[in-house]
Amino acid sequence: MAATALCAIFALVLAMGQAVVARHRAGAAADLAALAAADHALLGSADACRRAAVVAAAQGSEVVRCAVSGEIADVTARAAFGPYAPTVRARAGPPLPVPPPGVVPDVPDRT
């Protein structure tokens, strides 16, 4: 009875581990694919998304959705690992402009 319970717990932990690994792989692939697409955004949406697909494939995943608006890329990637195939969305683009020294940015009033 104890051995059966331990085997069941081990199987549950193994399944949870596979799910976490799949999620991390999908997240890493989505991040890298979004960065690649944003890096090639000035060449056009088709080239940027093609580059994202190449980078995602190198990570063992696939691009499910790719949209480029200006210099901002929005990519969704799926990575299969075991019975799990999570999808993760990532965005990449240039940073927001930094105000010059001495200028305090407007902060919305939260009252």
Side-chain angles (χ1 to χ4, degrees), residues 42-78:
L42 297 178
L43 300 176
S45 180
D47 282 341
C49 289
R50 196 170 16 259
R51 180 62 61 147
V54 168
V55 169
Q59 298 297 314
S61 67
E62 65 178 332
V63 171
V64 177
R65 180 181 170 274
C66 179
V68 178
S69 175
E71 295 179 354
I72 298 175
D74 189 348
V75 176
T76 303
R78 177 184 300 129

Side-chain angles (χ1 to χ4, degrees), residues 77-97:
R78 177 184 300 129
F81 185 72
Y84 307 101
T87 57
V88 177
R89 179 178 172 216
R91 290 175 50 110
L96 296 174

